[in-house]
Amino acid sequence: PHFTAAAVARMLEDSHREAEDQTRQSAIFSRAEALVMESAAFCRTRSGILVNEGDVEAALRARSLRHDYPAQRIQESIAEGDVLITVHGENVGQLNGLSQVDLGDYRFGLPVRITARTFAGEDGLLNIGREVEMSGPIHDKGVLILQNYLSALFAHIAPLAMNASIVFEQDYYGVEGDSASCAELYVLLSSLSGLPLRQGIAVTGAVNQYGEVLPVGGVNEKIEGYYRVCEAAGLDGSQGVLIPSRNRRNLMLERNVIEAVASGLFHIHSVEHTSEGIELLTGVPAGIVGGTGSYPAGSVLGLVQSTLHAYRRACQLRDHQKEGKRHLR
C-alpha cells in the first residue's frame, strides 16, 4: 500500500534520528526498507488502504520492543533501588552523568552516578576506574584534560595540595569516552567548594583545557534514557539534562520527551562553557578572577580557592611538624 504524507514525514524524521542530525539523513537504505515493510504489514493488519503515521509509529515501537530487554532490566534496577540514581534534591560531590550502550542493532541511554571526594594532600587527581583498569584511553585522556584545566584555574596556588578521587558508582563493565568529563569536573568543584549540586539535572559533555564544552555522541538516547528514569520516579518540573550547545542540531527526540519539555515538566539546558553549567547546577556565580589574581568570595571558584588554600596550609603544617621531629631525633 502507498504511504500518506504524514507517514512519509515520520519516516524522514526517523532517518534524521538515525543520522543523529537535523540536517542529514541516514543512507542505510536496508533499515528504511525494513521499516516500510513492517509499517505496510501493520496497515494490512487493520485492513487499511494507506499506510498512515500510526502504522509507522507501531513499526518503530515493535522494533524497539524486540531489542530493549537490557534497557528494561536496567530501568527496573533503578526503579527498585538496586542501582542508586537520585533525581530529586541536592547533594555535594555527586551528580548523574549520561552514558550510552550500543548493542550494534540497538542503542539506549542510561544515567550513572558520578562522585568525587577531596582531601588535603599532594597525590593529585585519582581516577579510580583507571587504577583498576576499567576505563579506556579516551576516558583517561578526558580526566587528564580536566585535571590540567583545574590546575590552570588555580595556577596562583600551584602546585595544588589536593588529594581527589573520581568514580563511576556501580559500574561493573568499564567506561570509555570523554563525554563524562564535564560531570566529573562539576563533582570535583562541588566537593572542593562544599556547594550542593541539583540532582535532577543530568550532565553530558566533554571539556577542553580552556573550559569549553565539546559535543558528544548518542545525545538522543542519553536524554531519553534519563527521561524514563525521571518519569518513573515522578516528574516535578525540576528535572532535565545539561548538554553541549554544539549538540543542539543532533536533537531528534521521541514525542513524549518533546511534549514533556513543552509542558515544562522536563528541561534541556545547553551550555558553551563549563562556568555556565556550574552556575546552573549550584545557583551560585562561577566567579571571574580579579586583578589581584583571586576569585570573588562566595563564588564557586572563590570557595574552591579558599579550600585549596586551607589544604596548602595543612600540608605545610604537616611538613613543618615532620621537620621538627627530625631535628629532635
Side-chain angles (χ1 to χ4, degrees), residues 161-176:
M162 175 186 72
N163 286 355
S165 61
I166 296 176
V167 66
F168 282 67
E169 302 286 355
Q170 295 182 284
D171 170 42
Y172 307 110
Y173 305 102
V175 62
E176 178 59 310

Side-chain angles (χ1 to χ4, degrees), residues 73-74 76-85 170 172:
R73 292 295 297 125
I74 292 174
E76 289 170 4
S77 297
I78 295 173
E80 293 168 359
D82 297 328
V83 176
L84 302 180
I85 297 293
Q170 295 182 284
Y172 307 110

Side-chain angles (χ1 to χ4, degrees), residues 68-247:
D68 72 346
Y69 179 72
Q72 286 186 30
R73 292 295 297 125
I74 292 174
Q75 293 284 338
E76 289 170 4
S77 297
I78 295 173
E80 293 168 359
D82 297 328
V83 176
L84 302 180
I85 297 293
T86 303
V87 298
H88 301 285
E90 298 179 335
N91 279 303
V92 175
Q94 174 181 308
L95 190 64
N96 295 322
L98 295 174
S99 65
Q100 179 192 228
V101 176
D102 191 340
L103 302 178
D105 52 3
Y106 183 71
R107 301 190 303 266
F108 65 93
L110 70 151
V112 57
R113 177 180 288 183
I114 302 173
T115 59
R117 300 300 298 269
T118 53
F119 312 92
E122 296 177 346
D123 294 336
L125 179 59
L126 176 69
N127 174 9
I128 293 177
R130 180 183 180 185
E131 294 300 310
V132 297
E133 300 182 352
M134 287 184 65
S135 65
I138 298 176
H139 177 257
D140 294 339
K141 175 186 174 184
V143 174
L144 292 172
I145 288 173
L146 78 88
Q147 180 178 0
N148 288 337
Y149 173 58
L150 187 67
S151 298
L153 286 174
F154 303 99
H156 52 288
I157 313 177
L160 299 182
M162 175 186 72
N163 286 355
S165 61
I166 296 176
V167 66
F168 282 67
E169 302 286 355
Q170 295 182 284
D171 170 42
Y172 307 110
Y173 305 102
V175 62
E176 178 59 310
D178 60 357
S179 64
S181 54
C182 264
E184 291 168 324
L185 173 66
Y186 294 147
V187 293
L188 272 175
L189 293 177
S190 171
S191 181
L192 287 167
S193 67
L195 293 171
L197 301 173
R198 294 171 57 186
Q199 298 301 291
I201 305 295
V203 175
T204 186
V207 61
N208 67 13
Q209 293 191 103
Y210 295 94
E212 296 171 311
V213 181
L214 307 178
V216 297
V219 66
N220 293 302
E221 289 81 7
K222 291 175 179 178
I223 293 173
E224 289 161 358
Y226 185 62
Y227 172 79
R228 294 186 191 102
V229 171
C230 294
E231 186 180 36
L235 293 169
D236 60 10
S238 67
Q239 293 105 345
V241 294
L242 181 66
I243 67 170
S245 289
R246 293 171 177 84
N247 273 126

